[in-house]
Amino acid sequence: MSLWTPGGEHEVPRDDDRPSAAPGAAGAPGQPPLTADQEAEAAQIAAEMAEVRAQLAQVPAAQVVANHAMGCWELAAIHLSAQPPNLDEAQVAIDAFGALNAVLQGKLGPDEATLADALAQLRLAYVQIKATVEAGDGAPGEPPAEG
């Protein structure tokens, strides 16, 4: 099995392929052994992560995805409100938001209508801001350039 990261593809051994680490064993090749305090901290972090995972498993997936979709909305709004607006970056976030809505149509439950409305408003804002920028009037909210 492998895991993709921005640093590239990395092979990940399966649980049954991993050697069992003895206390104080190195956390990674080339790293010094963990101290007892570091091991205790790592165990605490692992327990906290397991608790968070258990809590997340109790939340409907549609609700979590809707929350992530709104993150795309927020990202697009940040780029649209920048001075000057960053239209290319906003378009990526809007496209991602739209793709989530389109692919999951009928599966997002009670949040679906809100997401569709938010996407429509965001697309309208994008068109209006883009028209303002292309007209040479400067960024929205700024006075037109004198010429």
Side-chain angles (χ1 to χ4, degrees):
M1 174 171 42
S2 65
L3 173 68
W4 184 90
T5 68
E9 194 81 14
H10 300 279
E11 286 298 317
V12 179
R14 297 186 184 277
D15 286 338
D16 53 354
D17 295 342
R18 292 183 188 157
S20 58
Q31 296 294 317
L34 298 177
T35 66
D37 287 343
Q38 290 171 327
E39 284 184 28
E41 184 179 358
Q44 180 182 356
I45 291 170
E48 290 171 3
M49 288 177 57
E51 177 63 28
V52 170
R53 287 176 53 96
Q55 290 173 359
L56 187 57
Q58 300 301 314
V59 178
Q63 187 177 347
V64 175
V65 171
N67 186 44
H68 285 289
M70 288 308 294
C72 292
W73 182 92
E74 290 178 32
L75 181 60
I78 288 168
H79 286 293
L80 288 176
S81 65
Q83 296 300 324
N86 190 337
L87 297 173
D88 291 339
E89 295 299 319
Q91 186 65 58
V92 170
I94 293 167
D95 289 348
F97 186 25
L100 283 170
N101 283 1
V103 170
L104 297 171
Q105 189 171 15
K107 297 180 182 178
L108 293 176
D111 294 324
E112 192 162 336
T114 302
L115 292 171
D117 185 48
L119 178 60
Q121 290 177 13
L122 190 58
R123 285 176 170 161
L124 179 60
Y126 176 87
V127 169
Q128 291 172 338
I129 292 169
K130 183 177 180 183
T132 300
V133 170
E134 288 177 350
D137 293 336
E142 290 182 0
E146 293 184 25

PDB file of all heavy atoms in Angstrom, residues 30 90 92 100 120 128:
ATOM      1  N   GLY A  30      16.726   6.470  11.214  1.00  0.00           N
ATOM      2  CA  GLY A  30      17.636   7.606  11.333  1.00  0.00           C
ATOM      3  C   GLY A  30      17.292   8.556  12.463  1.00  0.00           C
ATOM      4  O   GLY A  30      17.968   9.558  12.658  1.00  0.00           O
ATOM      5  N   ALA A  90      -9.996  32.257  -6.833  1.00  0.00           N
ATOM      6  CA  ALA A  90     -11.419  32.196  -6.486  1.00  0.00           C
ATOM      7  C   ALA A  90     -12.135  31.193  -7.382  1.00  0.00           C
ATOM      8  O   ALA A  90     -12.983  30.422  -6.913  1.00  0.00           O
ATOM      9  CB  ALA A  90     -12.061  33.576  -6.615  1.00  0.00           C
ATOM     10  N   VAL A  92     -10.963  28.491  -8.770  1.00  0.00           N
ATOM     11  CA  VAL A  92     -10.663  27.118  -8.344  1.00  0.00           C
ATOM     12  C   VAL A  92     -11.568  26.718  -7.178  1.00  0.00           C
ATOM     13  O   VAL A  92     -12.158  25.634  -7.168  1.00  0.00           O
ATOM     14  CB  VAL A  92      -9.172  26.973  -7.963  1.00  0.00           C
ATOM     15  CG1 VAL A  92      -8.907  25.626  -7.295  1.00  0.00           C
ATOM     16  CG2 VAL A  92      -8.289  27.144  -9.185  1.00  0.00           C
ATOM     17  N   LEU A 100     -18.584  19.582  -5.758  1.00  0.00           N
ATOM     18  CA  LEU A 100     -19.152  18.862  -4.618  1.00  0.00           C
ATOM     19  C   LEU A 100     -20.676  18.885  -4.670  1.00  0.00           C
ATOM     20  O   LEU A 100     -21.329  17.859  -4.471  1.00  0.00           O
ATOM     21  CB  LEU A 100     -18.672  19.473  -3.302  1.00  0.00           C
ATOM     22  CG  LEU A 100     -17.255  19.141  -2.877  1.00  0.00           C
ATOM     23  CD1 LEU A 100     -16.839  19.999  -1.695  1.00  0.00           C
ATOM     24  CD2 LEU A 100     -17.137  17.665  -2.530  1.00  0.00           C
ATOM     25  N   ALA A 120     -24.845  29.728  -5.892  1.00  0.00           N
ATOM     26  CA  ALA A 120     -25.408  30.679  -6.861  1.00  0.00           C
ATOM     27  C   ALA A 120     -24.977  32.109  -6.520  1.00  0.00           C
ATOM     28  O   ALA A 120     -24.590  32.878  -7.413  1.00  0.00           O
ATOM     29  CB  ALA A 120     -26.925  30.564  -6.884  1.00  0.00           C
ATOM     30  N   GLN A 128     -19.804  39.548 -11.180  1.00  0.00           N
ATOM     31  CA  GLN A 128     -19.850  40.997 -10.969  1.00  0.00           C
ATOM     32  C   GLN A 128     -18.452  41.560 -10.704  1.00  0.00           C
ATOM     33  O   GLN A 128     -18.080  42.599 -11.266  1.00  0.00           O
ATOM     34  CB  GLN A 128     -20.781  41.331  -9.798  1.00  0.00           C
ATOM     35  CG  GLN A 128     -22.240  41.069 -10.115  1.00  0.00           C
ATOM     36  CD  GLN A 128     -23.137  41.217  -8.891  1.00  0.00           C
ATOM     37  OE1 GLN A 128     -22.689  41.114  -7.747  1.00  0.00           O
ATOM     38  NE2 GLN A 128     -24.424  41.443  -9.141  1.00  0.00           N
TER      39      GLN A 128
END
